[in-house]
């Protein structure tokens, strides 16, 4: 079997409103959790109570994802802006 080689380079990753996307998804999971709570007894009788817990897990993982992406965006912004103070320790003192 021959090894497959790509014919062109992979495209650059898309950068978009990542924080807004993850926050929207987190809100959606939490709303789905709240909508399913009144039907928990019905779902438990039929063996579908995992639906409720899946929505809650999605909301919890979304909170973690929001925290992670905000921290990532802050790190990217701080690395692209460079040093904020003009007198950094690595600069020559000029004595």
């Amino acid at each position: 079997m021959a090894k497959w080689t790509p014919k062109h380079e992979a495209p650059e990753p898309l950068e978009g409103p990542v924080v807004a996307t993850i926050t929207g998804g987190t809100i959606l999971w939490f709303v789905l959790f709240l909508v399913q709570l009144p039907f928990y007894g019905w779902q438990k009788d039929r063996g579908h109570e995992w639906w409720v817990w899946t929505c809650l897990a999605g909301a919890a993982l979304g909170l973690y994802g929001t925290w992670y992406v905000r921290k990532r965006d802050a790190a990217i912004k701080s690395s692209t802006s460079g040093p904020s103070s003009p007198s950094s320790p690595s600069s020559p003192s000029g004595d």
Side-chain angles (χ1 to χ4, degrees), residues 12-25:
E12 291 293 320
L14 296 174
E15 289 294 331
V18 180
V19 175
T21 303
I22 292 177
T23 303

PDB file of all heavy atoms in Angstrom, residues 12-25:
ATOM      1  N   GLU A  12      -4.050  27.787   6.737  1.00  0.00           N
ATOM      2  CA  GLU A  12      -3.848  28.353   8.073  1.00  0.00           C
ATOM      3  C   GLU A  12      -5.110  28.132   8.906  1.00  0.00           C
ATOM      4  O   GLU A  12      -6.217  28.153   8.373  1.00  0.00           O
ATOM      5  CB  GLU A  12      -3.559  29.857   7.962  1.00  0.00           C
ATOM      6  CG  GLU A  12      -2.230  30.171   7.332  1.00  0.00           C
ATOM      7  CD  GLU A  12      -1.061  29.746   8.198  1.00  0.00           C
ATOM      8  OE1 GLU A  12      -1.128  29.912   9.424  1.00  0.00           O
ATOM      9  OE2 GLU A  12      -0.092  29.208   7.635  1.00  0.00           O
ATOM     10  N   PRO A  13      -4.970  27.966  10.214  1.00  0.00           N
ATOM     11  CA  PRO A  13      -6.161  27.804  11.057  1.00  0.00           C
ATOM     12  C   PRO A  13      -6.983  29.096  11.080  1.00  0.00           C
ATOM     13  O   PRO A  13      -6.433  30.186  11.005  1.00  0.00           O
ATOM     14  CB  PRO A  13      -5.596  27.486  12.439  1.00  0.00           C
ATOM     15  CG  PRO A  13      -4.162  27.805  12.387  1.00  0.00           C
ATOM     16  CD  PRO A  13      -3.740  27.845  10.966  1.00  0.00           C
ATOM     17  N   LEU A  14      -8.283  28.931  11.154  1.00  0.00           N
ATOM     18  CA  LEU A  14      -9.163  30.091  11.192  1.00  0.00           C
ATOM     19  C   LEU A  14      -9.167  30.711  12.579  1.00  0.00           C
ATOM     20  O   LEU A  14      -9.245  30.004  13.578  1.00  0.00           O
ATOM     21  CB  LEU A  14     -10.583  29.691  10.808  1.00  0.00           C
ATOM     22  CG  LEU A  14     -10.792  29.183   9.394  1.00  0.00           C
ATOM     23  CD1 LEU A  14     -12.224  28.704   9.228  1.00  0.00           C
ATOM     24  CD2 LEU A  14     -10.479  30.267   8.395  1.00  0.00           C
ATOM     25  N   GLU A  15      -9.072  32.000  12.631  1.00  0.00           N
ATOM     26  CA  GLU A  15      -9.190  32.729  13.892  1.00  0.00           C
ATOM     27  C   GLU A  15     -10.448  33.579  13.797  1.00  0.00           C
ATOM     28  O   GLU A  15     -10.600  34.374  12.880  1.00  0.00           O
ATOM     29  CB  GLU A  15      -7.969  33.614  14.135  1.00  0.00           C
ATOM     30  CG  GLU A  15      -6.713  32.859  14.478  1.00  0.00           C
ATOM     31  CD  GLU A  15      -6.779  32.133  15.809  1.00  0.00           C
ATOM     32  OE1 GLU A  15      -7.483  32.578  16.721  1.00  0.00           O
ATOM     33  OE2 GLU A  15      -6.141  31.081  15.914  1.00  0.00           O
ATOM     34  N   GLY A  16     -11.338  33.403  14.706  1.00  0.00           N
ATOM     35  CA  GLY A  16     -12.586  34.147  14.703  1.00  0.00           C
ATOM     36  C   GLY A  16     -12.953  34.533  16.125  1.00  0.00           C
ATOM     37  O   GLY A  16     -12.101  34.531  17.023  1.00  0.00           O
ATOM     38  N   PRO A  17     -14.202  34.829  16.354  1.00  0.00           N
ATOM     39  CA  PRO A  17     -14.648  35.193  17.703  1.00  0.00           C
ATOM     40  C   PRO A  17     -14.767  33.943  18.585  1.00  0.00           C
ATOM     41  O   PRO A  17     -15.853  33.454  18.860  1.00  0.00           O
ATOM     42  CB  PRO A  17     -15.993  35.856  17.461  1.00  0.00           C
ATOM     43  CG  PRO A  17     -16.501  35.229  16.206  1.00  0.00           C
ATOM     44  CD  PRO A  17     -15.271  34.954  15.379  1.00  0.00           C
ATOM     45  N   VAL A  18     -13.631  33.430  19.013  1.00  0.00           N
ATOM     46  CA  VAL A  18     -13.595  32.150  19.728  1.00  0.00           C
ATOM     47  C   VAL A  18     -14.295  32.253  21.081  1.00  0.00           C
ATOM     48  O   VAL A  18     -15.074  31.370  21.456  1.00  0.00           O
ATOM     49  CB  VAL A  18     -12.141  31.669  19.888  1.00  0.00           C
ATOM     50  CG1 VAL A  18     -12.078  30.359  20.624  1.00  0.00           C
ATOM     51  CG2 VAL A  18     -11.481  31.551  18.538  1.00  0.00           C
ATOM     52  N   VAL A  19     -14.042  33.329  21.822  1.00  0.00           N
ATOM     53  CA  VAL A  19     -14.650  33.473  23.149  1.00  0.00           C
ATOM     54  C   VAL A  19     -16.166  33.557  23.015  1.00  0.00           C
ATOM     55  O   VAL A  19     -16.898  32.914  23.774  1.00  0.00           O
ATOM     56  CB  VAL A  19     -14.077  34.706  23.879  1.00  0.00           C
ATOM     57  CG1 VAL A  19     -14.780  34.930  25.201  1.00  0.00           C
ATOM     58  CG2 VAL A  19     -12.590  34.546  24.108  1.00  0.00           C
ATOM     59  N   ALA A  20     -16.649  34.311  22.053  1.00  0.00           N
ATOM     60  CA  ALA A  20     -18.099  34.436  21.861  1.00  0.00           C
ATOM     61  C   ALA A  20     -18.715  33.105  21.450  1.00  0.00           C
ATOM     62  O   ALA A  20     -19.810  32.752  21.901  1.00  0.00           O
ATOM     63  CB  ALA A  20     -18.390  35.498  20.811  1.00  0.00           C
ATOM     64  N   THR A  21     -18.034  32.356  20.623  1.00  0.00           N
ATOM     65  CA  THR A  21     -18.542  31.058  20.176  1.00  0.00           C
ATOM     66  C   THR A  21     -18.646  30.086  21.341  1.00  0.00           C
ATOM     67  O   THR A  21     -19.674  29.405  21.511  1.00  0.00           O
ATOM     68  CB  THR A  21     -17.629  30.481  19.084  1.00  0.00           C
ATOM     69  OG1 THR A  21     -17.544  31.411  18.010  1.00  0.00           O
ATOM     70  CG2 THR A  21     -18.151  29.154  18.580  1.00  0.00           C
ATOM     71  N   ILE A  22     -17.604  30.018  22.157  1.00  0.00           N
ATOM     72  CA  ILE A  22     -17.620  29.090  23.288  1.00  0.00           C
ATOM     73  C   ILE A  22     -18.630  29.535  24.341  1.00  0.00           C
ATOM     74  O   ILE A  22     -19.336  28.712  24.927  1.00  0.00           O
ATOM     75  CB  ILE A  22     -16.203  28.945  23.877  1.00  0.00           C
ATOM     76  CG1 ILE A  22     -15.324  28.224  22.866  1.00  0.00           C
ATOM     77  CG2 ILE A  22     -16.226  28.200  25.201  1.00  0.00           C
ATOM     78  CD1 ILE A  22     -13.903  28.068  23.286  1.00  0.00           C
ATOM     79  N   THR A  23     -18.737  30.834  24.559  1.00  0.00           N
ATOM     80  CA  THR A  23     -19.721  31.336  25.520  1.00  0.00           C
ATOM     81  C   THR A  23     -21.139  31.022  25.045  1.00  0.00           C
ATOM     82  O   THR A  23     -21.986  30.603  25.842  1.00  0.00           O
ATOM     83  CB  THR A  23     -19.543  32.850  25.729  1.00  0.00           C
ATOM     84  OG1 THR A  23     -18.207  33.096  26.165  1.00  0.00           O
ATOM     85  CG2 THR A  23     -20.507  33.384  26.758  1.00  0.00           C
ATOM     86  N   GLY A  24     -21.397  31.205  23.760  1.00  0.00           N
ATOM     87  CA  GLY A  24     -22.715  30.870  23.217  1.00  0.00           C
ATOM     88  C   GLY A  24     -23.039  29.398  23.357  1.00  0.00           C
ATOM     89  O   GLY A  24     -24.160  29.030  23.721  1.00  0.00           O
ATOM     90  N   GLY A  25     -22.067  28.550  23.092  1.00  0.00           N
ATOM     91  CA  GLY A  25     -22.272  27.113  23.260  1.00  0.00           C
ATOM     92  C   GLY A  25     -22.507  26.724  24.707  1.00  0.00           C
ATOM     93  O   GLY A  25     -23.345  25.867  25.013  1.00  0.00           O
TER      94      GLY A  25
END
